[in-house]
Amino acid sequence: MTRTDGPGAPPRGRLAGKIALVAGAGQTPGEHIGNGRATALLFAREGARVVVFDREREAAEATAAELQSAGGEACVQLGDVTSEQDCRAAIAASLASFGGLDILHHNVGVGLGDGWAEGIELAAWESILRINAGGALMMAKAALPVLREQGHGVITNVSSIAAVVAGVAPMSNPPHAYKMSKAALNALTLSLAQAYAPHGIRVNAILPGLIDTPMGVDAVAQMLGVPRADYARRRDEAVPLKGGMGTAWDVAHAALFLASDEARFITGALLAVDGGQSTRVG
C-alpha cells in the first residue's frame, strides 16, 4: 500500500459552481503539505471558488498562489477565528468576492501549551479551548445567517480522534486541554447538525488520526528535540493500517466528500480518518 502524496484521481467537478471558505488554509513550514492547504487545493481542483482564510499572510498567499497557478479562483482574507469581527469579515469577503457561500470548512487548531494536568496553566487551557472550539463556533455564527437565508449549506469541522482515543501520538505530553477542546468541537458539531437540519444545512466533523503534516510531525519533533525521521517512524508504527500515517490528502478527500452533493443525506457525522486507530476503543 502506498501513500497518496497528491490530489489523486482526475477532477470530476464535484464542487462545480460552489463557493468554499477554508479557515486555516495556510500552514506552518514542513516537509509535507498540511490539511488546510490540501483541502483548499482539492476544493478548487473540483471546481469551487475558494476563500483562503488564515491569520498568517505569507502562508495564506502561498496557498492562494498555488491554487491559482493550477487554474483555480481564490481570494485571501486574513484574520483570527477567535475574533468575531474577523469571522464576520471572512464571510463578507466571500460574499463580496464570489457572491455567496456554500461551504465552510473549519481547519483551525492548536495544542501548544498543553501537558500534564498538574503543570498546565489556566491561560494556556483557555487559549486552546478558545481557538479549537470557540473559533469553530464563531465561524459558524458568522456563516449561519447566510446559509440559513439561502436554505442550504455545508459546515465541516476538523476535529481529532484525540477526542475519543487515549494516547494518540507517541512521545508526547498528555494532551488534556487538546482532548477537551476536540470533544467540545464534536459536541458543537452534533448540536449544530441537529439545530440547522430543518434549514438544509449539513454539519459534520472529520476526526484525523496520525497524519504526516507540518503541525503534526515537524513542529512536534522540533519541540521534543528529536529528529523528524525518528518521530515520524514512531507515529507510523502507532497506526494499525499498513502503510503508517495518513497524509493531508486523505483528510482533504474526506472533506471533499462531505462538502459534495454525494453526502447530501449526511449530517451529524463524526468521520474518523485514522487508519483504524479509533477501533482500539473498548
Side-chain angles (χ1 to χ4, degrees):
M1 183 182 297
T2 58
R3 292 189 189 181
T4 301
D5 291 321
R12 295 191 284 120
R14 295 162 72 185
L15 299 182
K18 303 289 187 182
I19 300 163
L21 189 156
V22 180
Q27 68 177 65
T28 55
E31 189 170 313
H32 298 299
I33 194 169
N35 293 333
R37 180 170 292 173
T39 299
L41 292 171
L42 188 58
F43 280 8
R45 192 168 181 264
E46 289 291 336
R49 289 173 287 174
V50 180
V51 179
V52 176
F53 183 44
D54 203 275
R55 64 179 182 177
E56 300 293 339
R57 179 180 296 278
E58 185 176 351
E61 290 180 345
T63 297
E66 188 169 349
L67 188 158
Q68 290 163 342
S69 69
E73 292 186 60
C75 72
V76 171
Q77 180 69 24
L78 301 180
D80 186 330
V81 297
T82 64
S83 163
E84 287 195 59
Q85 181 177 347
D86 287 357
C87 293
R88 290 194 298 268
I91 303 304
S94 182
L95 298 177
S97 298
F98 299 130
L101 178 67
D102 300 293
I103 301 158
L104 170 60
H105 182 84
H106 186 81
N107 180 70
V108 178
V110 298
L112 295 179
D114 209 345
W116 295 94
E118 63 266 37
I120 192 170
E121 298 291 336
L122 181 60
W125 178 86
E126 289 176 335
S127 177
I128 292 169
L129 269 289
R130 181 180 178 87
I131 294 170
N132 293 0
L137 177 59
M138 292 302 99
M139 283 302 304
K141 178 181 179 180
L144 280 165
V146 174
L147 303 182
R148 187 171 179 172
E149 182 177 356
Q150 67 193 19
H152 66 86
V154 178
I155 297 175
T156 305
N157 295 316
V158 178
S159 181
S160 170
I161 64 161
V164 296
V165 177
V168 174
M171 302 169 63
S172 62
N173 292 327
H176 298 309
Y178 184 78
K179 286 175 67 68
M180 292 174 69
S181 70
K182 293 301 188 176
L185 181 55
N186 290 353
L188 172 64
T189 299
L190 297 177
S191 181
L192 291 175
Q194 185 178 52
Y196 290 93
H199 301 282
I201 301 168
R202 299 189 295 106
V203 188
N204 298 292
I206 298 169
L207 280 59
L210 295 176
I211 308 296
D212 194 349
T213 63
M215 182 174 291
V217 179
D218 301 74
V220 179
Q222 183 177 10
M223 180 183 67
L224 295 173
V226 300
R228 185 195 191 283
D230 291 350
Y231 185 60
R233 176 181 54 79
R234 292 286 296 272
R235 284 170 63 101
D236 281 336
E237 292 171 350
V239 178
L241 188 64
K242 181 180 179 181
M245 283 185 287
T247 74
W249 297 110
D250 296 314
V251 176
H253 279 286
L256 172 61
F257 168 67
L258 290 175
S260 74
D261 291 339
E262 296 163 19
R264 58 164 294 277
F265 202 55
I266 299 175
T267 193
L270 304 178
L271 176 60
V273 180
D274 67 349
Q277 272 191 292
S278 54
T279 64
R280 290 173 170 167
V281 176

